[in-house]
Amino acid sequence: MSEEPGLGAVLDVLSDEYAREILAATSVKPMSAQQLAEACEMSEPTVYRRIERLREYDLLGERTEIRDDGNHHSVYTATLSELSVELDEGTFEATVQRRDTASFPGQQEDDTADRFASMWENL
Amino acid sequence: MAGISVVVEWAIVGLAFGSTLVGGYVGYQAYRGYRRHDSRAMRALSLGLVLLTTVAFGIAFGGSVLLRQGYLALDYQPALTLVTRSLQFLGVILIAYSLHSRV
């Protein structure tokens, strides 16, 4: 658990429909900005603005992929898994749960065979 | 000079044996992956790896011992090589198949 920025700010980011669409899409699989623009039918500048805001609050993970032709491009994965807001005794308590973004499928697995199966099947 | 050639021969046998052990280990982990996930891709991969390393080497090594000891006529050497190469080929075919098997 990292220290949470203000609840208001996080709710503000998530109140934006485009930002939510980007999170929804990247919770399925890592996507580049171009792919997001196509999949969510937004302009690329819109996508980049939302990505920047989501990155600011650590709701979106970024990693660089290198393609066969040597070109680098960033792909994004939703790190947000759950946001809960609790009201108790006059104070709001917000908890953001984040998932680890594995750089390859099965990275979190402890058992070699599980890691192997997961990697191999997702090649 | 004779000493060097003996060392080289043993190094070749040792390396081949090492490859077999490591290949067998990778094949074994793939087999465990198949058992734990009931995955056909992992089954093909483990079979392929075992054929490519353990089985092919075992037959080649066993065959060469039999040839040297004179249990097998030298005429059988091409056939033995053919069997070994066929198993290795089947092994890589299985691995290629497992790459594209989505179950």
Side-chain angles (χ1 to χ4, degrees), chain B residues 11-26:
Chain B
I12 290 170
V13 172
L15 284 169
F17 189 66
S19 300
T20 307
L21 275 183
V22 177
Y25 168 76
V26 178

Side-chain angles (χ1 to χ4, degrees), chain A residues 109 111-118 120-123, chain B residues 26 29-30 32-33 36-37 39 42 45 98-99 102:
Chain A
E109 300 283 3
D111 190 286
T112 307
D114 291 344
R115 247 190 343 266
F116 195 5
S118 185
W120 193 258
E121 284 168 358
N122 286 288
L123 278 176
Chain B
V26 178
Q29 289 293 4
R32 284 186 63 233
R36 290 166 72 101
H37 298 262
S39 150
M42 293 310 277
L45 177 65
S98 93
L99 270 177
R102 280 276 160 264

